[in-house]
Amino acid sequence: MIKKLTIYLFFFLTLSCSADKDVIEESVDPIIGKWFFHSYNIGANETLYDECKQKGYFQFTKNGGGDHVTYWVNRETNKCSLDQSKKIQWYVEDELYNIKVFSQGSYGGILSFGITYLYQGTISEGILRMPVGSNQTINFIKN
């Protein structure tokens, strides 16, 4: 009886231990990554941003943070230059991305208070769309 029990126990342990480990895939939100300024819409009319503006982006990280970086053409040198880099926080609610951009306000030329801009966006067909006015939308593409 003990011999049979030992054999059953051996087979049970052998079969229950497997070299293959179950791989648990963590789903990654489609917003994670770097989204570059691409174009904007006013009503139904779409206009591409210039090459310099298209260097700007939103960088979304897994932890709900990231960066918002913009570029502009310096009129004196006619060169594309970094304009601003700001920290962001983002979260999803009801399939809508809520994006907070943190900035500084000033009074009399002195930085004195914080400003938080809230944008909301959706992703479809590989484009992140953020409405910014009553009939205006900024379009971003992921790279």
Side-chain angles (χ1 to χ4, degrees), residues 10-122:
F10 173 77
F11 281 115
F12 174 76
L13 291 174
T14 303
L15 294 176
S16 65
C17 296
S18 173
D20 297 333
K21 293 185 178 179
D22 293 333
V23 177
I24 299 172
E25 290 189 28
E26 181 182 334
S27 65
V28 176
D29 194 292
I31 202 167
I32 302 300
K34 194 179 278 191
W35 292 82
F36 289 89
F37 284 86
H38 178 67
S39 63
Y40 63 92
N41 291 73
I42 299 177
N45 299 323
E46 182 177 15
T47 303
L48 291 176
Y49 281 116
D50 63 45
E51 187 177 324
C52 182
K53 182 78 171 177
Q54 287 184 356
K55 289 183 178 183
Y57 59 86
F58 276 91
Q59 173 78 45
F60 298 96
T61 59
K62 289 181 184 180
N63 67 355
D67 298 292
H68 174 229
V69 177
T70 56
Y71 287 83
W72 65 291
V73 175
N74 183 319
R75 292 184 185 180
E76 294 176 8
T77 63
N78 204 29
K79 291 185 179 179
C80 183
S81 303
L82 175 66
D83 181 25
Q84 297 180 347
S85 179
K86 300 174 183 177
K87 292 295 180 190
I88 67 167
Q89 287 181 346
W90 67 273
Y91 61 94
V92 181
E93 186 175 285
D94 297 328
E95 298 182 19
L96 191 64
Y97 290 97
N98 293 276
I99 303 154
K100 293 180 181 180
V101 178
F102 301 100
S103 189
Q104 284 287 147
S106 64
Y107 182 76
I110 298 172
L111 293 176
S112 57
F113 55 91
I115 299 174
T116 301
Y117 297 97
L118 176 63
Y119 299 98
Q120 294 182 318
T122 57

